[in-house]
Amino acid sequence: MARASKVGRNDPCPCGSGKKHKNCCEGKTRQKIGTVGWVTIATMITAAAIVLYFVVISPPSGNPSARTCPPGQVWNAAHGHCDPIG
C-alpha cells in the first residue's frame, strides 16, 4: 500500500498552482472560525446559561409552603432558602 508523503513548506503545492506550498495552501489547512461559527458558539453559551438559571439557580416556583426543606428547617420566602427552625 502506498503511503502519502508529507508536503514540505518549500515543495511545489499539490493543488497544481506552481507556487511553493508555504505561499499557497499551507495556511489554508487550518480551519478558521467564521462569523457563523462565533454566532453558533454564542447561541450555545446563551442557551446553556438560560438552562442553568432555570434549572439550578432560580428558586422553584409555586407555593412557598410546598417547598421541601431538610428535617429541622423551614422555607424562608423572604430570602428564598431554607433556615433552621427556632
Side-chain angles (χ1 to χ4, degrees), residues 27-38:
K28 296 177 187 174
T29 57
R30 290 188 209 147
Q31 192 173 15
K32 296 180 181 177
I33 298 177
T35 304
V36 174
W38 286 113

Side-chain angles (χ1 to χ4, degrees), residues 1-84:
M1 194 177 212
R3 188 174 168 206
S5 62
K6 185 177 177 183
V7 179
R9 286 177 43 89
N10 291 316
D11 293 340
C13 192
C15 75
S17 67
K19 297 179 183 180
K20 289 182 179 181
H21 182 60
K22 68 181 177 183
N23 294 328
C24 189
C25 291
E26 182 181 37
K28 296 177 187 174
T29 57
R30 290 188 209 147
Q31 192 173 15
K32 296 180 181 177
I33 298 177
T35 304
V36 174
W38 286 113
V39 169
T40 303
I41 291 170
T43 303
M44 290 170 50
I45 291 171
T46 303
I50 290 170
V51 168
L52 179 68
Y53 175 77
F54 283 109
V55 173
V56 178
I57 297 172
S58 69
S61 60
N63 184 359
S65 63
R67 295 189 176 125
T68 56
C69 292
Q73 293 188 354
V74 63
W75 181 253
N76 183 336
H79 296 123
H81 60 82
C82 295
D83 282 334

